[in-house]
Amino acid sequence: MTKHNILRKQYILNEQNYQLKIPMELDVLIPENDSVRLISQFVEEMDLTALYDTYERMPSEKYASPEIMLKVMLYAYHEAKDISSRSIEKNCRRDINYKYLLEGRAAPDHAAIARFRTKHFAKCAQSFLAQMSRILYELDQLTTSEVFIDGTKIEAAANKYTFVWKRAVSRHQARFLRKTALLVGDIIQRYDLKPLWQKQVRKKHVKKLLKTLKTLARKQGLEFVCGRGHRKEQLQRDIEDLEAALEKIREYELKIHKCGMRNSYSKTDNDATFMHMKDDHMMNGQLKPAFNVQHAVDSGFIVSVGIFPDPTDVLTLKSFVENMESNLNMKFERIVADAGYESEENLTYLKEKGIAAYIKPGNYEQIGTRKFSKEIGRKENMMYDAEHDCYICCNGKAVKKTGSRKVKTASGYIREETHYYCEECDGCPHRAKCLEGKNWKKPLDKRYKTLIVSRKFEALRAEEYRLIDSEEGKKLRMNRRIQAEGCFADIKGDCGFTRFLCRGSVNVQAEYILFAMSHNLGWLHSRIQNDKLNLHLYELKQEKEAA
């Protein structure tokens, strides 16, 4: 008997007598305290009506229902080994925990998983996160006393070299309009048409002139030709030049419209903005297409998420707080954030809403240092005379008030600035040190000390110092680092999520909300296992008294 027949006979015997039998009840193979059970139970308690409404036709009983798909996606993001649709499909076919969630249904393919993430879940992602937060509040896992806000930048699923800069587009647009004006002038003179008396040629003028030339071509019975062996008439060439110019003008206008209030966008993902990232692989400050992700954390749970195109955090606070309160139907008593959110507009907004702002001032780390105290040109190192409304410099001279003006910021907020000017800088021995700086264009003997101060901002900043220097403020600042930054460390560091898979702000928000919801379920599971359900704030470590 040959070797091939021996192996074939042995295979038949194994198949008949020693067939592998898998238990039909997967429940017995999964530990009672496994996180997959908590995820399944939590989703079953949620109201998924909004998710079901996104389907025009429900899948048959053979395939996974929307509820099962949500369980699978949350568990996949909870594991976070690989959240691509093909990896999730492979896990659904092999992993016993995924089979437990599928409840005997067929494993979804990668296309169905991708459609669920972008076509269905993205439409109701924000409402599901808010619903989860309300359930956690009913379970006494959240409080409305304080909320920690922080932001980070995550790279978009776009090419690094598909940038469009608003300033460059505006410059090229102005240059092309000047070139188009010369073309329009030549055509008007050639056909003896009515001149355009406007100072600048616009799109409507080009369209009107193009309509006139097409009418003239119809009257003359002009036959448009193309290709080799045909000679175009001058009228045909003028019409084609105007059509090309009109198309180019529309292209410039579309690019500026896509930029909006931003300075740039990516051709691959129009919602992505080019920003400075901490991960600078070329070590040259290269900008990358990214999104500014904001999240609010309460007791270690992410309660709200926002996606913004602004590179800085200061412009996001107002709209983020409004969206958070409208989605959650909750009002927090205190908001804790870092120095990146400090501005007169934000502090005024929180004060008007009756919210205590525990925001670290921008100069908090510098004040008190030796270097800062030696900078005699700063207003913080000058004595302020409230009676005469002036500052006294280190030489005893008065920096007097010269007037005030109102300034409108980029966000539309109007603040009042007070200007101060010193007329006695001539012959001062501290002049060079007091007026040092890189932006001075005048020689030293023609420089005079000027100060620009916002009295309202100074009062708000003084209130900030009072709050954050208190024992409660120190405790909240410590918890912000642990909770708000800890959530980003869990998602970006532990899960390795540093680049979005989806494109578009709506899909990007849905993708991050999946991470936020899975983080919340994982954190709830950890609190249950470690018996820390009543932990909301970490206490400051008390220094040991000397013996």
Side-chain angles (χ1 to χ4, degrees), residues 35-92:
S35 59
V36 69
R37 294 182 180 273
L38 177 63
I39 292 175
S40 178
Q41 182 181 0
F42 198 97
V43 173
E44 290 173 358
E45 296 295 327
M46 296 178 65
D47 182 10
L48 304 180
T49 305
L51 180 61
Y52 279 87
D53 289 342
T54 60
Y55 285 82
E56 296 180 0
R57 181 168 54 90
M58 285 293 107
S60 63
E61 297 181 358
K62 178 182 176 181
Y63 301 100
S65 64
E67 179 182 344
I68 293 176
M69 289 293 295
L70 181 58
K71 293 179 182 179
V72 169
M73 295 298 292
L74 288 177
Y75 185 71
Y77 277 77
H78 172 68
E79 292 296 307
K81 296 177 181 178
D82 192 350
I83 57 174
S84 64
S85 56
R86 293 184 183 273
S87 296
I88 297 176
E89 177 190 3
K90 183 178 66 174
N91 292 331
C92 287

Side-chain angles (χ1 to χ4, degrees), residues 29 176 414 466:
L29 300 179
F176 184 77
I414 299 177
R466 186 186 68 81

Side-chain angles (χ1 to χ4, degrees), residues 38-39 42-43 46-48 51 70-71 73-75 77-78 121 124-133 135-136 300-305 490-491 509-525:
L38 177 63
I39 292 175
F42 198 97
V43 173
M46 296 178 65
D47 182 10
L48 304 180
L51 180 61
L70 181 58
K71 293 179 182 179
M73 295 298 292
L74 288 177
Y75 185 71
Y77 277 77
H78 172 68
F121 180 78
C124 48
Q126 194 69 260
S127 62
F128 280 169
L129 180 59
Q131 185 182 164
M132 173 178 282
S133 301
I135 294 175
L136 291 172
F301 297 97
I302 301 176
V303 297
S304 184
V305 169
D490 177 36
I491 294 174
Q509 185 181 47
E511 189 174 355
Y512 192 80
I513 286 178
L514 282 172
F515 266 114
M517 294 178 67
S518 62
H519 164 81
N520 291 346
L521 293 173
W523 179 238
L524 179 62
H525 178 261

Side-chain angles (χ1 to χ4, degrees), residues 407-445:
V407 179
K408 188 175 182 180
T409 62
S411 60
Y413 176 77
I414 299 177
R415 66 180 182 185
E416 186 175 357
E417 295 179 346
T418 305
H419 292 246
Y420 296 86
Y421 182 79
C422 182
E423 300 176 348
E424 304 178 71
C425 291
D426 293 329
C428 178
H430 308 286
R431 189 173 191 174
K433 191 174 182 180
C434 183
L435 299 176
E436 63 182 357
K438 300 180 181 179
N439 298 327
W440 286 99
K441 297 181 180 180
K442 296 181 180 180
L444 182 62
D445 57 345

Side-chain angles (χ1 to χ4, degrees), residues 178-196:
R178 290 194 297 267
K179 182 179 178 181
T180 305
L182 297 177
L183 173 63
V184 170
D186 292 341
I187 292 175
I188 290 175
Q189 184 178 6
R190 185 178 300 119
Y191 297 100
D192 194 19
L193 300 175
K194 184 179 179 181
L196 300 174

